[in-house]
Amino acid sequence: MNKTEVTKLQGYLRRKFANTNIRVVAMKTGDSAEVFIGDESIGVLADDKEDGDDSFTFRMAILDIDLEEDA
């Protein structure tokens, strides 16, 4: 994932979730980036180039122990 894509994705996520604390950091693998809110990693963005279309997939795991803290 290049710097332009990371910047655009970060801006999109900040607008979509109304949160300026969201940070997108490219991973060394080149086709993915990690998403943070503050210092906490919340998920991974993967570049999905399929059939000539360029899209991105956001994966966020929610652990059962995380749900218990909010209850």
Side-chain angles (χ1 to χ4, degrees), residues 10-58:
Q10 179 173 282
Y12 173 80
L13 292 173
R14 285 179 174 182
R15 289 187 306 277
K16 182 57 81 176
F17 296 110
N19 189 335
T20 59
N21 293 318
I22 293 175
R23 240 176 350 110
V24 177
V25 178
M27 296 173 84
K28 293 180 182 179
T29 59
D31 62 348
S32 59
E34 195 164 4
V35 180
F36 294 86
I37 294 181
D39 292 332
E40 182 180 1
S41 174
I42 63 161
V44 175
L45 281 164
D47 193 352
D48 185 12
K49 290 180 171 67
E50 187 175 308
D51 301 327
D53 293 328
D54 199 6
S55 64
F56 300 91
T57 303
F58 177 59

